[in-house]
């Protein structure tokens, strides 16, 4: 689960990490009021669950209330990487001497929190990671020891030489580690952490992701969830008994069983295709479930062909075939479909489907190749 910058800032503040003040706004007139209230230079910031807002024009400095209003007009409703901006944060703007990057993530290799820090912070950090990875210090934090004073200072000395800044940084690092552990975060980032003209370190952006499997014990984090359009779809799918994850490809997959769904995606990739989703319809063959699954696939504009892959075990292929036919009779599908049935009662299933003149194939490989050909 991801949270917005304004929410990450709330957590930072709770833990004593210095952040600038800000007011969350949903409309241009909210922004006008906030800018008037703050009565100083502000920065208007798109609140969307993706990075790179600055580069996309979603972060704008505003010297006057009028500037803030025109920034809000430009940013609200803007599309950033497929996310529509529905709210902005109006934050106190600071004069920046220098920008730093600080992040923590879970590293499975070292079984620890990996602390990352760089004096090359700011909007180009991805570029730095690619072209100059040595500029990002990476330090695993032993989970038994936690972030000791010594370790925090040692990392701080890698970024700063002024002892006053080292002290501030070490304090921030310790607090950041505490947030990471206490909230079951899988990622915490401050980018940038800045030195202000008053020689103070401040977080002026925050990003946090959390381990979904830990949310049951993190009620305060769970309530922060503001699902985006894709996530809303995934939640709705869950209610219909489907496991659905949207991907970027164009072959819509409908499969029974999570392992088979993974294998199906692998085989599509193997033949040079690109799956549009992971979709496990589970063990049941109920037409209702199949309809829900079909609707889910058809609601994705990227899906150009549907590939159905069923392996009959306890679930019988003839049952599934009847479910499919009932579903297809009830809805209009104007893109190609290919169906592969194998396992218990597959022959009977295939006969039922052939009667309806729908294309069937014998193997998973054939199905993948058929689907790829259908759209090329
Ligand atoms: P991101 O692009 O999504 O990471 O959004 P950020 O919140 O990190 O903002 C992008 C960039 O805008 C920062 O790296 C800063 O250079 C600049 N910026 C953001 N807030 C301020 C501010 O208060 N003052 C100044 N001078 N620049 C800011
Ligand atoms: Mn940033």
């Amino acid at each position: 689960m991801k949270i917005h910058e304004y929410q990450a800032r709330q957590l930072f503040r709770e833990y004593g990490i210095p952040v600038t003040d800000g007011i969350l706004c949903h409309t241009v007139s909210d922004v006008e009021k906030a800018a008037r209230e703050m009565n100083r230079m502000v920065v208007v910031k798109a609140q969307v669950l993706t990075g790179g807002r600055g580069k996309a024009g979603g972060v704008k400095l505003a010297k006057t209330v009028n500037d803030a209003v025109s920034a809000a007009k430009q940013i609200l409703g803007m599309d950033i990487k497929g996310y529509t901006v529905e709210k902005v944060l109006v934050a106190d703007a600071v004069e920046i001497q220098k920008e730093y990057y600080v992040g923590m993530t879970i590293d499975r290799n070292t079984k620890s929190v990996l602390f990352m820090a760089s004096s090359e912070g700011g909007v180009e950090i991805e570029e730095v990671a690619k072209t100059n990875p040595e500029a990002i210090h990476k330090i695993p934090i032993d989970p038994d020891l936690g972030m000791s004073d010594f370790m925090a200072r040692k990392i701080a000395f890698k970024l700063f030489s002024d002892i006053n800044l080292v002290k501030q940084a070490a304090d921030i690092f310790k607090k950041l580690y505490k947030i990471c552990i206490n909230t079951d975060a899988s990622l915490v980032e401050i980018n940038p952490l800045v030195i202000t003209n008053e020689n103070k370190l401040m977080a002026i952006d925050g990003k946090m992701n959390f381990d979904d499997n830990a949310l049951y014990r993190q009620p305060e984090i769970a309530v922060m969830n503001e699902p985006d359009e894709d996530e809303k779809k995934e939640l709705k799918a869950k209610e219909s008994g489907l496991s659905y994850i949207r991907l970027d490809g164009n072959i819509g997959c409908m499969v029974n069983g999570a392992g088979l769904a993974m294998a199906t995606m692998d085989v599509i990739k193997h033949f040079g295709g690109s799956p549009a989703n992971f979709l496990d319809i589970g063990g049941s063959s109920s037409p209702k479930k199949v309809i829900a699954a079909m609707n889910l696939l058809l609601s994705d504009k990227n899906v150009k062909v549907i590939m159905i892959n069923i392996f009959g075990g306890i679930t019988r292929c003839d049952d599934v075939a009847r479910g499919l036919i009932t579903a297809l009779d009830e809805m209009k599908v104007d893109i190609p479909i290919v169906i592969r049935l194998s396992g218990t009662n597959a022959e009977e299933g295939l006969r039922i489907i052939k009667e309806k003149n729908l294309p069937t194939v014998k193997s998973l490989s054939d199905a993948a190749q058929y689907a790829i050909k259908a759209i090329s």
Side-chain angles (χ1 to χ4, degrees), residues 325 348-358:
I325 297 299
E348 175 65 2
L350 288 171
R351 194 190 57 72
I352 294 169
I353 285 172
K354 271 191 197 133
E355 265 174 21
K356 285 279 167 184
N357 287 325
L358 286 167

Side-chain angles (χ1 to χ4, degrees), residues 63-98:
K63 286 211 176 89
T64 63
V65 173
N66 276 345
D67 288 352
V69 167
S70 65
K73 280 183 181 157
Q74 285 174 52
I75 297 173
L76 281 165
M78 178 190 254
D79 177 279
I80 300 180
K81 296 185 189 165
Y83 295 86
T84 307
V85 181
E86 283 165 359
K87 46 189 175 280
V88 292
L89 181 71
V90 177
D92 262 347
V94 289
E95 304 272 354
I96 299 174
Q97 282 191 51
K98 186 166 166 48

Side-chain angles (χ1 to χ4, degrees), residues 25 45 59 103 121 124 137 220 238 242 266 287 292 302 319 321 328 371:
C25 300
K45 312 183 75 180
V59 176
E124 297 296 343
H137 305 284
E220 281 131 34
K238 212 173 184 177
L242 309 167
D266 281 350
N302 288 338
D319 275 352
L328 292 175

Side-chain angles (χ1 to χ4, degrees), residues 243 247 251-269 275 277-284 307-317 320 338-344 346 361-365 367-368:
S243 308
L247 303 167
I251 301 179
C253 312
M254 188 195 301
V255 186
N256 68 330
L260 189 62
M262 298 294 279
T264 304
M265 299 194 306
D266 281 350
V267 172
I268 290 172
K269 282 265 184 198
N277 62 277
F278 168 99
L279 174 55
D280 171 15
I281 62 168
S284 140
M307 173 175 159
I308 299 172
N309 183 23
I310 304 293
F311 186 81
I314 296 170
T315 308
R316 292 162 32 183
C317 288
V320 176
V338 58
I339 301 161
R340 179 242 179 177
L341 297 176
S342 180
T344 311
V361 288
K362 286 244 156 57
S363 72
L364 177 47
S365 301

Side-chain angles (χ1 to χ4, degrees), residues 176-194:
L176 204 60
Y177 182 78
K178 205 167 167 186
I179 296 184
C180 187
I181 298 297
N182 285 5
T183 63
D184 288 307
S186 54
L187 177 81
V188 191
E189 272 183 354
I190 303 178
N191 186 36
L193 176 72
V194 302

Side-chain angles (χ1 to χ4, degrees), residues 5 45 51-54 59 99 101 122-123 125 189-192 204-207:
E5 174 197 0
K45 312 183 75 180
R53 298 164 303 162
V59 176
E99 305 191 14
Y101 169 89
V123 295
I125 193 69
E189 272 183 354
I190 303 178
N191 186 36
I204 64 166
D205 186 15
K207 180 175 176 182

